[in-house]
Amino acid sequence: MPFPPPSRTLLGPRRRSLLASAAGAALLVGCSTDGDDSESTGGSQSAAERARARAATDSEDLLRRYDATLAAHPTLAERLSPLRADVVRHVTAFGGNGSTPSATPSATATASPSASASAVPANANDALSDLAAAERSLADRRAKALLDLPGELARLLASVAAAGAAHAYLLTEGAK
């Protein structure tokens, strides 16, 4: 007669229940506020407005970098155009006008000095690396800033930060 397998004595919650409760907690945190950005979670409405304006300005600066890179390296247009289009959407999502000049040499000459075509490295791979570094740096700053923002704005900033990190990855992996 075979013996039945020994019964397991549970000393704590099972792995499935821990995973289910962690997933449920994440859903609750992600969906906890349905109101507008004026809800107070440590900052006032004016702080949220300042954060939104800063995010729009940062996205506009990044857009100018894309334009400068495209002006200096027109051969990268096929690769950079979808990423640039995302950045334009980020500008408009944060309340910017999204009408930063396109990637033409004359339009780029009117851009900020830090994003002028002369500041872009002559080597296309180096230019992509610089653009990736700018995306990564901005994504990191946004990820840190979202901790102090109210619900919907924090979610938007987190989403755009994730997109920026993905852009940085795409820019560096394609160069290999």
Side-chain angles (χ1 to χ4, degrees):
M1 174 169 176
F3 291 107
S7 64
R8 287 185 7 178
T9 57
L10 298 177
L11 300 176
R14 298 180 79 186
R15 185 176 6 176
R16 283 187 207 156
S17 60
L18 284 174
L19 290 173
S21 62
L27 286 174
L28 288 174
V29 169
C31 300
S32 63
T33 60
D34 290 332
D36 61 3
D37 288 340
S38 63
E39 292 178 20
S40 179
T41 58
S44 65
Q45 183 174 2
S46 61
E49 289 171 358
R50 284 192 307 272
R52 185 180 290 275
R54 173 67 184 184
T57 300
D58 288 345
S59 291
E60 288 167 349
D61 290 346
L62 184 61
L63 184 57
R64 282 190 280 280
R65 288 186 77 121
Y66 269 92
D67 288 344
T69 302
L70 284 166
H73 300 284
T75 58
L76 296 175
E78 183 178 338
R79 183 168 177 193
L80 295 181
S81 292
L83 304 178
R84 183 191 181 279
D86 283 347
V87 175
V88 169
R89 285 190 288 275
H90 299 162
V91 170
T92 56
F94 288 120
N97 61 14
S99 64
T100 301
S102 63
T104 62
S106 61
T108 306
T110 62
S112 67
S114 64
S116 69
S118 62
V120 176
N123 181 309
N125 285 337
D126 291 342
L128 290 174
S129 294
D130 282 0
L131 201 51
E135 284 272 17
R136 192 174 305 109
S137 173
L138 183 55
D140 290 345
R141 283 196 325 262
R142 286 178 168 164
K144 289 176 187 169
L146 70 90
L147 298 173
D148 298 325
L149 296 175
E152 198 59 38
L153 182 56
R155 285 188 281 279
L156 176 61
L157 201 61
S159 175
V160 173
H167 288 180
Y169 174 80
L170 291 171
L171 290 165
T172 55
E173 287 304 306
K176 290 182 180 178

